[in-house]
């Protein structure tokens, strides 16, 4: 039985086809579509599915559902139609970064998430028609693994001189004026542009350890997209597309015999012998765009001789396990393996008092999610390292819980590998493409 197609999907497809067929066409009337009942209702469902913590107003999805969703959506629609809608301040929290330190995350209120989702539903098809082929971040039917696959494919075709690039604080430094010009190249509806300006300049609320409130940003803010906002990823891709489009239109692909693959603020330039020239050109262009390359994370590599990391994978020369030929391959990076090991250890701490079936289910969800992302390339070594760590940690967890002397291998092997048991990554069959040198 075919799944019914949402009625709004036809309108989104129509917007995409119009934008694709007429690259210079500018859309004058879009605000009324954002205000539509069906669009707002669908936007709420999307926001609800993503869950997330409440914003500064403390209102949760459960409270909205309990008080009456239809009335809540009607009130929000009335604010949009009468143009009295104003976004609430964004609640900022600090979350740990994989490599150490913390990064800020903005949490908008649910009402703002819904309106941003509605705007994204309407605007995304228009800009999707303009995005360059090398852009993979935050796009429908594309993901990070697709970007890794394309990088590997290009390496195997001889594009082995690589600029491994990283932008410094990309989301925080995007200039508002230039970003709005990029949006206005397609969108003329002043009410839509007004909404985007409101979101870009929304105040940020922070609270210290004593609960004292501090506000920042607001109208004085001239740079950055609100991290955590639903509309923010789309805006970041729109601005990055300026760089990718300039690369193509200025003939750099032919001049440097190279191609760019980007995912948000991470991108690589793969060329045939012109990586240094490509990096010099990129630095100059990024300066004009108001952006800066992170010098410590940007480097030039010969992928036939040395590896580089991209989106959690390590790409470059690898050796067949039988001691034979070398090949160009991809595999989960050492940092990615250490990260999943750390998460497993954090789950199986002595302080976890949950029932073993519950702990096992959480552990399997963690492993299944990791293996779903790291499903490409040479996986055996990484899978074996994770499996060994999981076995040791689970064994120690059960031994402590049952106060068992010795290692407890005989007693707990059935619990670990029984049915149902702990997921064994090496039993998960994946495609491992290679490119022999």
């Amino acid at each position: 039985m075919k799944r019914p197609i949402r009625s709004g999907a036809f309108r989104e497809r129509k917007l995409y086809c119009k934008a694709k067929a007429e690259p210079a066409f500018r859309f004058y009337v879009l605000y009324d579509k954002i205000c539509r009942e069906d669009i707002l209702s669908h936007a709420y469902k999307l926001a609800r599915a993503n869950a997330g913590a409440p914003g500064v107003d403390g209102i949760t999805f459960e409270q909205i559902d309990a008080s009456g969703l239809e009335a809540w959506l009607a009130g929000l629609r009335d604010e949009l139609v009468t143009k009295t809608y104003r976004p609430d301040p964004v609640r900022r929290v600090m979350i740990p970064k994989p490599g150490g330190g913390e990064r800020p995350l903005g949490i908008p209120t649910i009402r703002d998430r819904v309106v941003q989702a509605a705007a994204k539903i309407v605007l995304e098809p228009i800009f999707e028609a303009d995005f360059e082929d090398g852009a993979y971040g935050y796009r429908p039917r594309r993901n990070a693994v697709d970007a890794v696959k394309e990088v590997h494919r290009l390496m195997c075709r001889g594009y082995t001189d690589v600029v491994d690039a990283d932008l410094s604080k990309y989301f925080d430094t995007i200039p508002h004026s230039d970003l709005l010009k990029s949006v206005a190249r397609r969108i003329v509806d002043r009410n839509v542009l007004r909404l985007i300006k409101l979101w870009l300049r929304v105040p940020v609320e922070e609270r210290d350890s004593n609960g004292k409130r501090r506000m920042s940003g607001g109208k004085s803010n001239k740079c950055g997209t609100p991290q955590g906002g639903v509309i923010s990823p789309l805006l970041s891709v729109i601005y990055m597309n300026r760089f990718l489009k300039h690369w193509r239109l200025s003939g750099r692909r032919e001049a440097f015999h190279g191609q760019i693959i980007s995912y948000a603020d991470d991108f690589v330039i793969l060329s045939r012998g012109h990586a240094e020239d490509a990096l010099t050109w990129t630095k100059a262009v990024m300066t004009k765009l108001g952006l800066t390359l992170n010098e410590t994370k940007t480097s030039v590599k010969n992928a036939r001789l040395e590896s580089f990391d991209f989106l959690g994978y390590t790409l470059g020369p690898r050796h067949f396990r039988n001691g034979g030929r070398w090949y160009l391959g991809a595999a989960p990076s050492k940092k990615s393996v250490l990260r999943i090991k750390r998460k497993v250890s954090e789950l199986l701490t002595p302080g976890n008092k949950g029932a073993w079936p519950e702990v096992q289910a959480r552990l399997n969800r963690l492993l299944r999610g990791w293996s779903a992302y790291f499903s490409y390339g040479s996986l055996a070594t990484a899978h074996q390292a994770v499996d060994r760590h999981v076995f040791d940690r689970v064994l120690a967890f059960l031994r402590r819980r049952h106060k068992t002397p010795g290692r407890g291998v005989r007693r707990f092997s059935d619990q670990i590998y029984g049915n149902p048991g702990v997921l064994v990554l090496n039993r998960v069959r994946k495609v491992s493409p290679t490119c022999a040198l």
Side-chain angles (χ1 to χ4, degrees):
M1 182 178 178
K2 291 184 178 180
R3 186 173 62 180
I5 300 175
R6 184 174 54 86
S7 60
F10 290 111
R11 285 188 295 274
E12 293 158 30
R13 182 68 185 171
K14 191 174 180 180
L15 288 170
Y16 172 83
C17 292
K18 179 69 174 177
K20 194 70 175 177
E22 300 183 42
F25 185 83
R26 304 176 77 192
F27 293 80
Y28 284 82
V29 183
L30 291 173
Y31 188 75
D32 63 320
K33 295 176 176 58
I34 295 175
C35 299
R36 288 180 61 102
E37 292 179 10
D38 58 338
I39 295 290
L40 288 172
S41 178
H42 183 57
Y44 179 82
K45 291 176 183 176
L46 294 175
R48 187 76 166 85
N50 288 330
V56 294
D57 60 2
I59 296 176
T60 65
F61 288 105
E62 291 76 17
Q63 290 173 330
I64 293 172
D65 293 340
S67 63
L69 176 58
E70 289 187 9
W72 186 86
L73 286 173
L76 183 58
R77 181 175 183 275
D78 184 63
E79 288 184 53
L80 289 169
V81 171
T82 59
K83 300 181 179 61
T84 58
Y85 164 81
R86 297 291 183 278
D88 296 308
V90 171
R91 181 166 70 91
R92 174 173 287 173
V93 296
M94 305 302 292
I95 60 174
K97 295 172 66 175
E102 295 180 322
R103 70 177 179 88
L105 176 68
I107 304 178
T109 58
I110 291 175
R111 66 191 284 274
D112 293 333
R113 279 180 247 173
V114 171
V115 179
Q116 289 187 26
K120 182 174 180 285
I121 290 170
V122 175
L123 299 180
E124 186 174 61
I126 295 170
F127 289 101
E128 179 64 23
D130 291 338
F131 290 151
E132 297 291 310
D133 289 340
Y136 284 82
Y138 310 123
R139 294 182 62 185
R141 295 174 294 280
R142 288 190 172 206
N143 57 42
V145 179
D146 291 333
V148 172
K149 290 178 180 179
E150 182 62 13
V151 170
H152 185 215
R153 187 184 72 85
L154 289 170
M155 287 167 51
C156 293
R157 291 179 58 196
Y159 293 86
T160 52
D161 295 289
V162 180
V163 178
D164 178 18
D166 181 86
L167 288 170
S168 179
K169 297 181 179 179
Y170 173 61
F171 291 93
D172 297 330
T173 57
I174 298 176
H176 289 175
S177 58
D178 290 338
L179 173 60
L180 288 168
K181 288 177 184 176
S182 297
V183 176
R185 195 185 70 81
R186 276 295 203 175
I187 310 300
V188 188
D189 191 324
R190 60 187 179 88
N191 291 313
V192 175
L193 295 175
R194 173 179 159 275
L195 272 182
I196 295 174
K197 287 181 184 178
L198 287 173
W199 292 324
L200 289 175
R201 297 174 181 174
V202 66
V204 176
E205 179 191 280
E206 296 180 83
R207 292 185 183 271
D208 59 22
S209 56
N210 298 321
K212 187 176 180 181
R213 187 186 189 207
R214 185 172 73 86
M215 303 295 290
S216 61
K219 293 183 180 180
S220 62
N221 191 22
K222 303 297 181 184
C223 294
T225 59
Q227 291 194 47
V230 178
I231 199 70
S232 183
L234 175 61
L235 295 176
S236 71
V237 180
I238 290 172
Y239 197 66
M240 186 65 180
N241 200 59
R242 291 183 64 167
F243 169 68
L244 300 177
K245 190 177 289 291
H246 184 49
W247 167 274
R248 177 174 58 84
L249 294 178
S250 63
R252 295 305 96 187
R253 177 174 176 172
E254 293 76 19
F256 297 147
H257 302 283
Q259 299 191 49
I260 301 177
I261 304 298
S262 75
Y263 191 94
D265 56 340
D266 288 329
F267 66 95
V268 291
I269 302 174
L270 301 109
S271 73
R272 290 173 171 166
H274 297 275
E276 292 286 357
D277 295 334
L279 177 57
T280 301
W281 181 87
T282 298
K283 287 180 179 178
V285 173
M286 288 302 178
T287 300
K288 292 179 181 178
L289 292 174
L291 305 173
T292 307
L293 283 176
N294 188 328
E295 297 288 348
T296 60
K297 294 184 179 180
T298 299
S299 60
V300 173
K301 300 282 182 68
N302 180 351
R304 295 174 66 88
L305 301 176
E306 51 188 335
S307 300
F308 64 96
D309 288 355
F310 182 58
L311 301 178
Y313 281 81
T314 295
L315 298 106
R318 297 185 64 83
H319 194 272
F320 282 110
R321 299 184 72 186
N322 60 11
R325 300 154 65 195
W326 290 83
Y327 65 94
L328 287 173
S333 68
K334 290 181 179 179
K335 287 183 179 179
S336 300
V337 173
L338 288 174
R339 198 171 300 140
I340 185 63
K341 286 182 178 181
R342 192 180 306 118
K343 289 183 178 179
V344 169
S345 297
E346 290 170 355
L347 175 62
L348 299 174
T349 57
N352 188 340
K353 304 300 182 183
W356 169 241
E358 177 188 330
V359 175
Q360 178 183 276
R362 290 177 58 192
L363 176 61
N364 281 345
R365 283 196 297 271
L366 177 65
L367 295 172
R368 198 169 287 114
W370 190 85
S371 66
Y373 180 82
F374 293 103
S375 58
Y376 181 78
S378 304
L379 303 171
T381 301
H383 280 184
Q384 287 172 4
V386 175
D387 285 340
R388 283 195 299 269
H389 181 80
V390 170
F391 181 81
D392 290 341
R393 291 298 92 205
V394 171
L395 202 60
F397 180 81
L398 294 173
R399 191 173 64 242
R400 283 193 307 266
R401 173 166 291 190
H402 296 280
K403 298 181 174 59
T404 301
R407 290 200 67 204
V409 176
R410 288 186 178 180
R411 177 174 178 182
F412 299 117
S413 289
D414 287 343
Q415 282 185 263
I416 298 173
Y417 295 129
N419 187 20
V422 175
L423 180 68
V424 180
L425 299 185
N426 247 347
R427 295 176 184 171
V428 179
R429 298 296 180 187
K430 300 294 182 183
V431 178
S432 301
T434 61
C435 180
L437 291 175

